[in-house]
Every structure is written in structure tokens, then in C-alpha cells.
Amino acid sequence: MSRLKPLLLFMLVTIFASTVSAQPTGKPVRFKTSKKQINENTFDVIFTASIDKGWHVYGIGLPAGGPTSAKIIVDKVEGAKAEGKLKAIGNEHNEYDEMFGMKVRFFENSVTFVQRFKATGGKFRVSGRLEYGACSSEMCLPPTSVDFSHEGEVAKTDDKQAKEDEQADADAAVTDNAQDIATADTAKTATASVASTSITKEQISSDLWKPVIDELNTLNGSSENTSSLWKIFLMGLLGGLIALLTPCVWPIIPMTVSFFLKRAKDNKSKAIGDAVTYGLSIIVIYLTLGLAVTAIYGAQRLNDLATNAYVNIFFCLLLVVFALSFFGWFELTLPSSWSNKVDSKAGKTGGLLGIFLMAFTLSIVSFSCTGPIIGFLLVDFSTSGKILAPAIGMLGFAVALALPFTLFALFPAWLKQAPKSGSWMNTIKVTLGFIELAFALKFFSVADLAYGWHLMDREVFISLWIVIFGMLGLYLCGFLHFRSDMEGGDTKPKPVAAIMIGMMSLAFTVYMIPGLWGAPCKAISAFAPPMNTQDFNLNSKVVTPHYLDYDEGMAAAAQTGKPVMLDFTGFGCVNCRKMEAAVWTDPQVADRLNKDYILISLYVDDKTPLKEPLEVVMPNKTKKTLRTVGDKWSYLEETKFGYLAQPFYVTVNAEGKPLSGSFVYKEDINGYMDFLNKGIEAMKK
């Protein structure tokens, strides 16, 4: 029976925790505009941004279909012309973004955009706006603009070429605007209604547009952010438990504890003290590793590495190499001279330093099993957005690794009850090999999306996972053997625990099969490519918005007496698509939205121009000009509900009063159904 305990424990520690997103507070990006005179005829218009931690502003000239690029839009230019293109000054990051499925460039903390103008003589006036996009790791703001206007007078010149250039710049600006509109039109899908392109002051002053921020906050209550360093510590602890059961670590435990007990057989307290020191040394070594990684790269640099396409290809190849090593093709170890030198010094050195060197020897010798686990954890911790995450995660890993050395020294009798080294360790090692292969595909998928190869679309990914976990199930049930099993003399039938876990793996394989035809397969949604890469999809549970215009939809709600679901979304909002694929495809959710609600989808990045621009006053008393349909819905979301990002869902009645609070990005079907049901109940009351 003791042989089965490690397998059961191994299965338990492979459970993954999910994360939730927190709602942003305040305005995460604040711009200041200024003018800097370069010489008599030349001046710079400068836009300086202050960016909150965790948010970033996108750079200039990003590919179509991605986030909103920063760009200058000149509405009026007289007696002057733009010189060169808009420039960005700051520490620009360039990485693959899973939300948009492409490489993007962005700035954190601060950025300065500069556009140079040259007056052509006499009086001049230049006015326009800087348009930019901003996102955090979970959500994005609607496209936002910063207005500018400068005028003056310089000595007159007869520069005919300057006038021609001025006209060319104006034509180029018109062309850019036309291209923006065409891009937005291309992104739109067929819907039941077309959004209105007009807006009036009387309309936004009506009760339907009246702010309900206080009422919404009351219904929402206090939002709890469950992401914490404790979760990171526990994930490191689970990783340490997995490493503990590998053949590189487990056999060392009884040998090391026996060494301490024999060395101080007449002094049990000293033996315990040595074992505790040994365990603390392990903690110090791995904690130092976590601190060193943070100090050298910093949290953001590690995030850049983790999401860079080239690095992901390297991670994929590395995990494949580790998997082949686990399968027994070859033995992957660090140079033996390293461990020999450290072990030799440990034997010659006494006291605390000798014990520390013994612990360091363990770290080197066990690298072939702990290396991929440590690397995997460091990547995950580094993308959590917390600067201490690598150190805290490595602390959890080291505690799990060091704990048995101390416990067995305190209670030597437990050593007799501990599972002995045997074939079960090779079973765990081979199982880890299958898991390494599965996660290698995830890293390759990131690179595939970055370059647009379309080699790892969703159905290809799921097919490979079906093969991998199907073979894992056959192996654990005893139908598949590796050379390492035969060399270790493991010719007996697999134990019951292994067969049970194998059956679970086969059941997981069967669960994934419908995903080949478009089933959501929510258990693997965090790893598989997005649903939009699926070439063949039979899923018929499609939720289509009833209206794309707020006022038209609210009028329909007043006539039918149904509650309203407001869906603030965007054409470039990938998390919006994830919610639609993972939550809206659920039959109960789809029926509720299609039958019991008036669903109004409002695209905040719709570039369709309004018939007439309208100047409005924002909650912070600043003025803003609404020029597009997207500006209109962005203004509604911010002023009425006090929210800035997408996706954002809120249930209201026909008068625009909130019913059940709001819901943001969280792939939780039960929570979403509860949110919808509360809206129905509140409407009945």
C-alpha cells in the first residue's frame, strides 16, 4: 500500500489554480500637453503620459487588428505643416500579447509623444488630437484622445513648397481617417441592427444616460482580489512536492537523514540540528535563486522573456528535451565535476559550511528532475505582476523540498514507513515526461500565434493533447511500456492507484474529443489556442446581440418589459471573445440571454464617424469631443457606470437603473448565471 501513496499525492499536486481580474479604479493614464519652441518657425507639440502600475500605453504603427496605436490626428492646420511623423520617447517594450495574438509595442510608467510642426509664414493655427490605446494584463480602455490647439504668428515667407506640403499633409490625414474607418468596418460581423451615428445634448441629458455609479457600487459591494503572494507560495509548495517524488530526490532523503543520525548517534539533538540546518540551507539556496532572478531581470523583463516568441520556441524545445530524458532516451545531468568538487569540499569542511555544501550538492545532482519544474514555476511567477513573486514562489518550492529531511530527523521511525525506492519512481518520471510534452505545445502555440504560421490551431493542439494524454492513460494502465520500465524489472501489473489515475487520464482524453468540433472544453481553455483559430466549428449555441445602439435597445425594452443586458465590448477585445466562447456558449447562459434579456452590444472601438461631433464635459470637469460611435459608447460607459475597460456587463431596466450589479472578465459560468438570474429577480420585483 505504501507504494501507492506517492502516485496519489502526485495526482493531487497537479491541480492548477485560476486567477481573477480586478476592476480598475480611477483613470490609469493621464496626459499633459505642452508646446516647445525649437526656433523661430519650428515648434514641438508634446504629449506626456503618466501611467499607473500594471497598465501600459501602446506605441506607434501597430499592425491592423491589434490594439489602438498612438497616432496624431490633425483636424485643422493653417499656415503650418507637420514635419516628420509622430515620435515616441520612453522605454518601449516589444513582446507577444496573448490578448491580441500578435507582437505589440508598449510603454509603462511614462511615455512622451512628440509631433513637430513648422510654420510657413504669417499667422498659423494647428489643432487636433492624439489618439492612444491602453491596457492592463486583463482588460483594455476604449480608444482615448487628447486634444491640442496652438496658434501664433511668424515672419511671412514665399515658400510655395511649404504650401504644397501642407496640402499633402492634410490629404494624408484624410486618408488615414478613411483607412481607420475601413478597418473598423472590416472587423464588424453581421448583426441584427446597425448603431445610430447621431448624438445630441438632449439625448445624453436624458434619464437613460443619467449616472448610476453609486447604485451600481451598492449592488456590487466590495470586490475581492484573490490574487496574492499566498497563492504563489502555495503553487511553489506544490511544485516542490512534485520534485520531491522524483527519482533524483526521493532516494537521497533516507541516505541523508541516516548520515546525520549516524554522525551524531550519541547526540540526537545535534543530529536534528544538522538536519534542520540542511533543510534551511536548501531554502536559502532556492530563495537566493528567486531573488537573483528578480534582481537581474526584474518582473517586467521576465514577463518579456516569457511572452517573447523566440523564447517560447526555446522553452518548447527545452521541455521536449526534458521529456525525452524522462522517457529514458538519455540521462540529462549537469557536469559531474561540479558535484564532485562541491561534495569533496563538503566532506573536508565541517560545521555549518559543510552542511550548506551538502545541500548545494543536492541542488546540482537533482537538476535533471527539478530543473524543468523550477524553470516552469519561475516563468509563471514572473508573469504574475508582483515583484517578489519569484522569491516567494521559490520559498514555497524549497520548503516542500526541505521539509522531509527535517521531519524524518525528528521522527526516525517514519523512515521505515516511507515508500522505498522502486519502479513507482520511474512511473512518476515517465508521467512527468508526458506532462512536459503537453506543456511544450503550449509554448509552441504562443510562438505560432506570434508569427501567424497557423501550424498549431486549436483543433491541432487538441488532437496532440488527445494523443499525449491517451498514451499516458495507456501507460499508467499497463498497456504501454518504456525501455526504462523493462530495465528496472517492472514487468508486474501496475498498482491499482496507477490504473485509477490512468483511467482519469483516459477520461480526460475523451472529454477533449468534442473540442475537435468546437466544444468549449473549458478545462483546457487557458492552454489551448483561442476559439477563432478553429477551422471547423459545429457549435450552434450562438448569442447574437439584439441591438447595437443603446437608445434603440432601451426603447425596445420599454415596449417588451424585458430587462436589458448591456455588453460593453470591442472589435479588438480578445477577452470579450473569450467570454463569448467560454461562457456565452453554455446552453443555459445562451437561452437566458437570447430569450429573457434585450442584449445590447456597444463597441467602444467602432470608428464609424458621428454625423456631427459633440463636445461633452467629463466627470473630472474636462471637455472631450465625441467624434465616433465608439467615443459615444465609451462616454456612456464611463459617465453612467464609472467604468473604463472591456468586457463590462451590466443589467438594467428600461429606465437605465442597474438590477444586479456588473460583471467583468471571469470565465465562471455559475457566477455569470447567478448574475443573470439576479437581474431577472430584481426586474420582477
Side-chain angles (χ1 to χ4, degrees), residues 344-361:
S344 176
K345 288 187 178 182
K348 296 177 182 178
T349 307
L352 296 178
L353 181 58
I355 296 175
F356 179 82
L357 290 174
M358 288 179 62
F360 196 67
T361 303

Side-chain angles (χ1 to χ4, degrees), residues 233-244:
F233 176 81
L234 292 175
M235 288 184 65
L237 198 71
L238 295 179
L241 291 175
I242 294 175
L244 190 65

Side-chain angles (χ1 to χ4, degrees), residues 155-169:
K156 292 185 178 181
T157 63
D158 294 328
D159 190 354
K160 295 182 179 180
Q161 185 62 39
K163 292 182 179 179
E164 294 177 2
D165 293 343
E166 177 183 336
Q167 183 61 42
D169 290 339

Side-chain angles (χ1 to χ4, degrees), residues 29 32 40 54-55 221 233 250 267 285 287 298 323 349 393 400 402 426 464 479 528 578-579:
V29 181
K32 292 183 179 180
E40 183 180 359
W55 287 80
F233 176 81
W250 189 260
N267 189 346
I285 290 169
L287 180 59
T349 307
N426 184 72
L464 292 173
F479 296 106
K578 287 182 179 180
M579 285 292 291

Side-chain angles (χ1 to χ4, degrees), residues 233-234 236-244 249 253 282-283 394-405:
F233 176 81
L234 292 175
L237 198 71
L238 295 179
L241 291 175
I242 294 175
L244 190 65
V249 179
I253 297 175
I282 294 174
I283 293 175
M394 283 297 96
L395 175 62
F397 180 88
V399 167
L401 207 61
L403 196 60
F405 294 97

